[in-house]
Amino acid sequence: PDIVLLDLTRSPAAGAEVARSLRADRRTRATIIIGLGMPASRAGRKDAAATGVDLCLPSATPSAALLAGMRHLSGAARVRAK
């Protein structure tokens, strides 16, 4: 997949494991991973980055902001795939 949206509101630990698995697999290493429901704090973003999540957003993120984040990250995914 090009983009994965992980709903982390119920089980952040399970979402982190999914992100790690995607990053470990050469077929999905360049996939954009957006964590929904992750803490937007600096510590939350640091924890998310350590698991491979590209962007942390609150679960109630407006769709326009979600699309803007996806567009912004799409170039990064292409670079990472090379």
Side-chain angles (χ1 to χ4, degrees):
D2 294 325
I3 297 174
V4 171
L5 299 176
L6 290 177
D7 180 359
L8 303 170
T9 56
R10 294 186 187 248
S11 180
E17 184 58 35
V18 169
R20 283 188 200 97
S21 295
L22 288 168
R23 291 292 180 241
D25 188 323
R26 67 173 177 75
R27 298 169 297 174
T28 55
R29 190 167 290 137
T31 297
I32 296 169
I33 302 173
I34 299 175
L36 297 173
M38 295 190 82
S41 67
R42 180 177 289 211
R45 288 190 307 267
K46 184 178 176 182
D47 290 345
T51 64
V53 173
D54 295 297
L55 180 64
C56 303
L57 296 171
S59 55
T61 298
S63 58
L66 178 58
L67 288 172
M70 291 165 55
R71 284 188 193 109
H72 175 74
L73 290 171
S74 64
R78 281 189 228 110
V79 170
R80 203 171 33 223
K82 292 181 179 183

